[in-house]
Structures are given as structure tokens and as C-alpha cells.
Amino acid sequence: MPKLYYKDINQESKNIVLLIHGLGVNSESWRFQTKDLVKAGYRVIAVDLEGFGASNLASKSVSIIKSVLDIDNIINDHNFTNITIIGLSLGGVIALQYAITFPEKVTKLIVINALAKLPKEKLSQKLYIFFRLLL
């Protein structure tokens, strides 16, 4: 498992919110929300998924399940329980899969602009996914 970079802000708080970014960005994309979440009393964990931001690409293949397990390593390292997970786009897919895989660790789940299943029936859908992955 690769070691993911993550920001850990307001470590005194017991209210954990984990932020998972979308495709083509990194944890810095949450910078405006982070300020308000800290003001609201949350401890904010904002990860850079493998191959994004400060997390290098350590594997030949990356998958939703692999990303879930990478994030679970962070959660286990800190013994976090009862976390709120917020995921945007690709991060929403990962957040949804995390909640399905580890429901006992998640108190709240917020999924923004994400798909539960990637559509691949039409050529236009396959091309859309291909170009998004290129980003």
C-alpha cells in the first residue's frame, strides 16, 4: 500500500471529517471548505489520492477498492471512529465504496456529483471516461 499524503487540521477536535477529492485535483481543492469546517469544530482530514497532489503513484494500477484500503490505513493509523466522509466526483465514488465496505466506521456520508456505476454502454460514454482519465 502506498503512503498517502493528507492534511490533518484541528487535531484537538474529536469530530472527524474526511475529504476525498475528485479526478484531476487534490486535497487543495477543499481549501475553502476546510476553513469553515474547522470553524464549525471539525478535525479535517483531506487526502491526496494515489497519483494526485503530494501522493506519488506507487502502483501499476489504481482502483476504487485500492483507494478505499489506502484511506482505511489512515483511519486505522489514527483509530478514528464515527467519521463523516465527504467525497466529490471520483472521491464520491470512493466515499460510497468506503461506506459500503466499512459501514461501522462511518457516521455520515456526503456524496457530491458522483456515479454509483460508471456507464460504459455507448461509445460517447467510453470516450468521456477516457478523456477524464487523461486529465
Side-chain angles (χ1 to χ4, degrees):
M1 296 280 171
K3 184 113 172 119
L4 296 185
Y5 169 82
Y6 60 93
K7 297 175 183 179
D8 186 353
I9 305 163
N10 196 22
Q11 296 178 16
E12 303 79 38
S13 178
K14 302 285 186 223
N15 296 319
I16 311 299
V17 63
L18 175 76
L19 304 175
I20 308 173
H21 64 80
L23 187 63
V25 292
N26 58 38
S27 60
E28 191 59 27
S29 66
W30 294 105
R31 67 187 169 278
F32 299 114
Q33 293 82 7
T34 298
K35 292 175 186 177
D36 288 331
L37 288 166
V38 168
K39 281 183 191 176
Y42 287 95
R43 179 176 182 174
V44 177
I45 308 295
V47 301
D48 281 351
L49 296 171
E50 183 179 357
F52 295 89
S55 294
N56 61 353
L57 186 60
S59 309
K60 290 184 180 181
S61 65
V62 178
S63 69
I64 301 300
I65 294 296
K66 187 168 178 320
S67 296
V68 164
L69 296 176
D70 291 342
I71 289 168
D72 194 51
N73 283 336
I74 295 170
I75 290 169
N76 290 337
D77 286 348
H78 292 285
N79 296 315
F80 291 148
T81 57
N82 301 320
I83 58 175
T84 297
I85 300 180
I86 304 174
L88 173 66
S89 190
L90 171 65
V93 175
I94 294 167
L96 182 59
Q97 185 60 56
Y98 189 91
I100 291 168
T101 306
F102 301 106
E104 70 282 0
K105 297 181 183 182
V106 180
T107 302
K108 296 177 187 170
L109 174 66
I110 301 169
V111 177
I112 306 162
N113 195 27
L115 303 168
K117 177 184 173 193
L118 292 175
K120 297 182 224 170
E121 293 80 32
K122 296 180 183 176
L123 178 61
S124 63
Q125 293 169 330
K126 290 179 184 179
L127 288 172
Y128 172 77
I129 292 169
F130 173 74
F131 285 117
R132 289 293 297 168
L133 290 172
L134 282 178
L135 289 175

